[in-house]
Amino acid sequence: MSKLAWKTILASAALGGIMIAAPAMAGGTNASAAQPDPGLIAKGAKLWADNCGRCHNLRPASNFSDDGWEVVVSHMRVRANLPGEDAKAIKAFLKNSN
Amino acid sequence: MRPHRALILAGLLSTSFLVAAPVAAQNASGDQALMTRIEKLEAEVQALKAELRKSQAEATEAKTKAEAATAKADEAVAKVEKASNGVSPTTSALGGGLFNYRAGDVRFHLGGYAGGNVEFVDNGENSTFADVNFNPIFLVQYKDWLLFESELEFETTDGEGTKLELEYASLDLMLNDYATLVFGKYLSPIGLFQERLHPKWINKAISRPVGFDGTVEPLTDVGLQLRGGIPVGENMKLTYVFMIGNGPQVEEEGQPALEGFGEDNNDNKAIGGRISFFPVPWLELGGSAYHARVSGLDELSGEADADETGLGVHVEAVPAALEPTNADLDIFGAHAVATYKDLDLRFEYLHSKRDAFISVADPGGLPEALPTQKTEAWYAQAAYKLAGVTNQEFVKDLELVARFSQLNVKQGILFVDDAQDRLTFGVNYLLAPNIVIKVNYERRDFDEPDLKTENRFMGQFAIGF
């Protein structure tokens, strides 16, 4: 494997460590589970149906937990160039329907 | 004026008229004042009734709206249940990622994909290949504005054991709703195939379209991207990616390796981007463009010799009349994607041109003049899920795929043996939306008259998690 690959892996491990440690030290404030907004969920359902099957098969909400969807949809927001508000609605829908 | 105010006003006007008339007739009595008050009250009651009717109408409208939204959601869910072939949650639990962890605002997710191929080639001298890959993806998210994404690839190679490679590793900073800054090693955004379709569980066929493999389409780069999507009106959308990277480096025969390098060998950044427009959510139309500079080599296994002065002046003497020079590499292309219900149609075209330049082409050789290289690649692909026409067991889980791809060398000495027409037919059996068994037949018809046409039979198992 290339030097770059190792450097990146090490850097990412360190970064991950810092990111995990920081909030833990700060006491790890959990964002309270927001009350689902039916309008947002309905909007998210449509956006999910419109967008999430464009590159690969649609993945059903049951595939991931809330935390899983949070990260996966962020990943897809970047990959698929989704506007932030659309990603937010899709997250609301998937977390509500899993 | 709001309607109930108008009513009140009308009431008051009519009241005063009724009041005025008898007064004018000099018919005033003690009851008159009382009448006036009663009539005024009556008018107010009417106004209140009107108001009540209006808020009832508003409530009904709100209810209808909510019902419509719920119906939309139900419809979308029904759609996915059909698309996922009614796979029960237990089966699709395989799609739930490998590992998930959360500490406060930090979330960690381990996913990825894996697969295996077998391939039988009939080209006169028959041969069989098999390879296996495992690509873990690491995602670390902080709050909702920072994401680290990385993918490693473990892959068996033809005879040399296993290879481990960093596919990408980047830090994505979500600046606002419409822009994300990506920093690190990323999949090339030029064209669509590499960034969006190459994972085995996503690719509808087994092979790649010819040319979309680092020949014409770049694979990765190291640098920055600014990317995002902007809604246009109610239903339309514009998406963009701009990139700047270290760019490619020259390899044997003056061929640029279209991959990300950790350092820039010639202080000439590669720049490029892709734009797409969605007139409706299921249709994407757009194009890509890319410009880089590659530097000729003064020895093959060594460092590329950048002509920093741009005048062909070099400090070190090369024992030859020719000095390595730089060459421009330009790529442009267009794409169209329609994903409508169970049908998936794609078209992509890429054209690349590298100018003539001077470089060592063979190990141990001297710098030589290499001609301009013009290469183009395109493919058209159609896939259809039979779930759209049948509910029958097994058949409803099948997807049919056809793809035609072509690599043309329009000018130059590179890729001449790769230039071909590639026709692929496939049947995919979807065990779940993320688990697929593929069977393909492929015919490779080479442009070079000496090369025999190949018939390939391929099988693949792929899973994304």
Side-chain angles (χ1 to χ4, degrees):
Chain A
M1 192 168 49
S2 75
K3 225 178 181 176
L4 171 72
W6 282 115
K7 270 193 212 157
T8 321
I9 293 167
L10 284 177
S12 58
L15 183 81
I18 291 166
M19 287 169 83
I20 288 167
M25 285 188 294
T29 49
N30 275 28
S32 63
Q35 206 57 34
D37 162 5
L40 189 69
I41 291 168
K43 185 179 164 216
K46 182 170 187 307
L47 286 165
W48 165 76
D50 282 347
N51 285 290
C52 301
R54 278 197 287 116
C55 299
H56 47 68
N57 298 329
L58 267 169
R59 305 279 297 259
S62 57
N63 266 189
F64 297 97
S65 65
D66 286 7
D67 284 333
W69 277 124
E70 176 63 40
V71 182
V72 166
V73 177
S74 296
H75 190 205
M76 292 302 116
R77 170 185 168 179
V78 178
R79 189 61 64 95
N81 299 314
L82 298 174
E85 64 220 68
D86 291 4
K88 200 169 152 196
I90 293 170
K91 282 177 186 177
F93 163 69
L94 289 167
K95 290 178 187 180
N96 186 63
S97 318
N98 55 356
Chain B
M1 198 190 304
R2 291 170 59 193
H4 65 281
R5 292 237 182 91
L7 269 170
I8 294 171
L9 205 70
L12 288 174
L13 279 172
S14 54
T15 312
S16 46
F17 179 73
L18 286 169
V19 173
V23 168
Q26 303 280 346
N27 228 352
S29 73
D31 295 343
Q32 199 57 49
L34 192 60
M35 267 310 279
T36 313
R37 281 198 64 192
I38 288 171
E39 278 161 1
K40 205 176 150 212
L41 283 171
E42 212 163 66
E44 275 170 16
V45 168
Q46 288 304 332
L48 280 171
K49 271 191 185 162
E51 182 112 337
L52 188 66
R53 273 197 297 272
K54 197 179 146 243
S55 42
Q56 270 171 348
E58 267 169 9
T60 321
E61 195 194 328
K63 199 175 156 222
T64 323
K65 265 193 189 156
E67 277 168 3
T70 320
K72 247 186 204 169
D74 287 348
E75 193 188 311
V77 171
K79 186 176 164 191
V80 82
E81 272 168 0
K82 200 170 157 219
S84 56
N85 307 312
V87 173
S88 68
T90 24
T91 329
S92 52
L94 271 169
L98 295 175
F99 180 69
N100 231 307
Y101 173 75
R102 173 169 179 190
D105 288 332
V106 176
R107 293 177 175 86
F108 175 82
H109 181 83
L110 178 62
Y113 57 94
N117 289 350
V118 289
E119 201 165 315
F120 171 76
V121 187
D122 163 29
N123 59 349
E125 31 186 311
N126 301 339
S127 50
T128 316
F129 306 105
D131 72 75
V132 181
N133 75 295
F134 170 58
N135 294 37
I137 296 178
F138 305 86
L139 300 171
V140 186
Q141 180 179 340
Y142 175 65
K143 293 202 167 157
D144 61 353
W145 52 268
L146 189 65
L147 179 72
F148 172 77
E149 48 167 324
S150 179
E151 181 183 320
L152 295 175
E153 177 163 80
F154 296 86
E155 198 179 24
T156 55
T157 55
D158 317 340
E160 295 160 37
T162 322
K163 137 186 130 179
L164 169 59
E165 226 172 83
L166 178 73
E167 285 255 302
Y168 60 80
S170 68
L171 205 54
D172 310 341
L173 190 64
M174 292 159 219
L175 302 175
N176 59 41
D177 267 3
Y178 313 112
T180 297
L181 189 70
V182 175
F183 171 78
K185 180 175 181 184
Y186 49 77
L187 299 176
S188 174
I190 308 307
L192 301 179
F193 194 86
Q194 169 68 1
E195 193 188 82
R196 297 187 181 175
L197 305 172
H198 85 272
K200 282 182 173 146
W201 70 275
I202 298 178
N203 188 1
K204 304 257 184 216
I206 295 176
S207 66
R208 284 176 171 245
V210 61
F212 289 77
D213 48 7
T215 310
V216 180
E217 187 183 43
L219 297 178
T220 56
D221 213 327
V222 177
L224 289 171
Q225 284 183 352
L226 187 70
R227 58 189 298 157
I230 304 163
V232 182
E234 268 289 290
N235 241 336
M236 298 184 286
K237 192 169 65 181
L238 192 78
T239 65
Y240 66 90
V241 187
F242 298 115
M243 59 148 279
I244 176 163
N246 286 340
Q249 296 186 7
V250 169
E251 292 183 329
E252 246 173 84
E253 294 176 25
Q255 180 174 327
L258 301 174
E259 283 171 34
F261 292 89
E263 56 196 350
D264 191 354
N265 68 334
N266 59 2
D267 284 336
N268 272 307
K269 297 287 176 229
I271 53 167
R274 183 181 70 221
I275 298 183
S276 287
F277 178 63
F278 295 77
V280 282
W282 53 268
L283 183 64
E284 174 175 6
L285 304 168
S288 320
Y290 173 92
H291 171 81
R293 239 163 167 224
V294 292
S295 294
L297 307 171
D298 57 12
E299 62 179 308
L300 195 57
S301 53
E303 299 272 296
D305 188 336
D307 177 1
E308 274 154 18
T309 64
L311 299 168
V313 178
H314 279 265
V315 189
E316 286 166 335
V318 175
L322 293 175
E323 293 276 348
T325 59
N326 294 337
D328 283 349
L329 170 69
D330 291 292
I331 304 173
F332 66 85
H335 58 264
V337 181
T339 40
Y340 192 75
K341 295 192 171 159
D342 299 291
L343 186 64
D344 181 297
L345 299 174
R346 293 172 186 274
F347 169 81
E348 268 199 82
Y349 170 86
L350 283 178
H351 178 279
S352 113
K353 175 172 178 259
R354 194 220 61 224
D355 286 339
F357 74 140
I358 295 168
S359 175
V360 169
D362 305 312
L366 292 173
E368 56 185 287
L370 297 166
T372 299
Q373 178 74 32
K374 270 192 207 168
T375 320
E376 70 178 9
W378 68 274
Y379 70 88
Q381 177 184 295
Y384 186 73
K385 290 197 185 79
L386 295 183
V389 285
T390 176
N391 279 324
Q392 208 181 318
E393 269 312 303
F394 183 74
V395 185
K396 71 173 171 40
D397 298 336
L398 298 179
E399 181 176 35
L400 305 180
V401 186
R403 177 163 76 198
F404 181 75
S405 63
Q406 203 174 54
L407 179 73
N408 295 320
V409 175
K410 314 217 40 153
Q411 190 182 342
I413 53 169
L414 294 176
F415 314 123
V416 183
D417 286 350
D418 299 320
Q420 63 183 271
D421 291 358
R422 187 180 285 189
L423 181 63
T424 313
F425 291 107
V427 181
N428 299 337
Y429 177 51
L430 298 165
L431 288 104
N434 56 317
I435 310 173
V436 59
I437 294 171
K438 307 179 200 171
V439 181
N440 277 193
Y441 162 75
E442 192 166 280
R443 183 181 164 91
R444 300 183 178 185
D445 220 336
F446 296 93
D447 290 3
E448 193 64 18
D450 297 346
L451 292 172
K452 278 216 178 76
T453 298
E454 284 178 7
N455 290 296
R456 290 184 179 229
F457 302 90
M458 299 178 258
Q460 185 179 65
F461 171 80
I463 174 168
F465 33 71

